[in-house]
Amino acid sequence: MSEKKKQVKRIFDSIAYRYDFLNHLLSFGTDYYWRRKAIKYSGMNENSILLDVACGTGDFAITAHNAGVKNIYGADLSYKMLKLFNSKAEWIKGCSVEMVAEFLPFKDSSFTNITVAFGVRNFYDIPKAFSSFRSVLKPNGKVTILEFRLPKNIFFKVLYKFYFTRILPLIGNLISRDKEAYIYLPESVHEFDEKINLKELLEQADFSKVDTKSLTFGIVQVVIATK
Ligand SMILES: C[S@@+](CC[C@H](N)C(=O)[O-])C[C@H]1O[C@@H](n2cnc3c(N)ncnc32)[C@H](O)[C@@H]1O
């Protein structure tokens, strides 16, 4: 197993039971708004066949379900996160075994849509994951990605960095009892923001019409690409 895969699996297995609570607390509830916005941008409807990758405890898939999408599959690396998802939503499919984004065990052209919220940053091989997304998507299928970014405005960036690197790890550690997890979060966002251009990587994976949108002073980005 790659080092990153091992580390990410350990972290999410360890914080699974505190994940939802901490997510809503540390984002002041804004995560609900981000997920709703991204699902709206994805343009899904009741005929969509959705695979939510890195589904975790299921909040993104549940947002899609609430917006009328009926046929939803989930895939995640952490069995403990999947178990919690299963306990929240009996309609979810495919959530009984661990799956990685890099090797999705579905037939080619199975889905009209793939969504990933706050997951791509954790993938151990993003190009491999995007090529696996392309295979399992139907022609004209869409990928919708929601991910953290660092704000561009200097004043807001300083404030945000202070919160993200000082306050957030303190609260995260206190509640989850996993120090590494809430040090990993700001570090991974920082590294991702510096090194990863999702538009470029999706185009290299042969996706077209890659569209990006920025939310909440640029701390979150939505990327939509078409096969
Ligand atoms: C921050 S959580 C996001 C969960 C959910 N999408 C949400 O919006 O709350 C990231 C999830 O990505 C999963 N993950 C990380 N790397 C993965 C990979 N290579 N393949 C599949 N899932 C992965 C983790 O297990 C974790 O559940």
Side-chain angles (χ1 to χ4, degrees):
M1 218 194 271
S2 84
E3 267 316 302
K4 177 155 183 181
K5 185 176 166 191
K6 242 193 267 176
Q7 181 196 24
V8 166
K9 184 173 159 38
R10 191 209 66 73
I11 286 176
F12 285 102
D13 276 342
S14 151
I15 64 167
Y17 289 95
R18 287 280 167 224
Y19 176 80
D20 282 350
F21 175 72
L22 274 168
N23 230 1
H24 308 323
L25 176 77
L26 295 170
S27 72
F28 307 104
T30 324
D31 59 317
Y32 290 114
Y33 162 76
W34 294 329
R35 289 192 187 86
R36 277 201 308 273
K37 267 286 204 211
I39 294 296
K40 199 171 163 205
Y41 288 143
S42 75
M44 284 188 282
N45 58 43
E46 57 181 31
N47 300 318
S48 304
I49 309 168
L50 168 64
L51 173 64
D52 185 37
V53 178
C55 60
T57 57
D59 279 1
F60 206 30
I62 290 169
T63 309
H65 181 77
N66 293 342
V69 183
K70 295 193 173 87
N71 214 343
I72 307 181
Y73 293 73
D76 200 281
L77 166 72
S78 157
Y79 182 65
K80 293 209 173 146
M81 297 288 272
L82 289 172
K83 235 174 109 182
L84 286 162
F85 189 178
N86 274 303
S87 69
K88 278 159 82 175
E90 80 294 340
W91 43 261
I92 188 65
K93 300 171 187 158
C95 266
S96 50
V97 287
E98 293 173 359
M99 282 180 237
V100 288
E102 291 78 357
F103 294 99
L104 292 169
F106 297 98
K107 281 190 192 144
D108 284 1
S109 304
S110 295
F111 302 98
T112 61
N113 291 80
I114 288 180
T115 51
V116 195
F118 310 113
V120 172
R121 176 174 35 90
N122 302 298
F123 291 170
Y124 59 89
D125 191 334
I126 300 176
K128 197 173 244 173
F130 286 174
S131 124
S132 145
F133 288 4
R134 201 176 183 284
S135 305
V136 301
L137 270 177
K138 291 178 187 290
N140 293 316
K142 277 189 185 164
V143 180
T144 304
I145 295 169
L146 183 61
E147 194 47 91
F148 284 118
R149 285 288 175 186
L150 293 180
K152 299 275 175 280
N153 176 287
I154 294 296
F155 174 70
F156 193 65
K157 195 172 184 167
V158 171
L159 266 180
Y160 183 71
K161 270 199 161 175
F162 178 75
Y163 172 70
F164 222 47
T165 55
R166 300 290 164 96
I167 314 284
L168 182 143
L170 215 69
I171 302 173
N173 178 25
L174 209 70
I175 297 175
S176 73
R177 297 271 160 220
D178 190 314
K179 200 172 174 189
E180 189 196 355
Y182 287 88
I183 290 175
Y184 167 78
L185 174 61
E187 278 179 355
S188 66
V189 172
H190 190 259
E191 194 183 331
F192 185 79
D193 193 68
E194 274 197 340
K195 295 189 184 156
I196 303 293
N197 183 330
L198 288 177
K199 188 174 190 307
E200 257 176 42
L201 288 176
L202 284 158
E203 283 167 353
Q204 280 162 18
D206 241 359
F207 282 93
S208 59
K209 288 190 258 169
V210 186
D211 198 13
T212 65
K213 294 177 195 303
S214 197
L215 300 177
T216 318
F217 306 107
I219 61 173
V220 162
Q221 183 185 43
V222 183
V223 183
I224 299 154
T226 308
K227 173 171 170 178

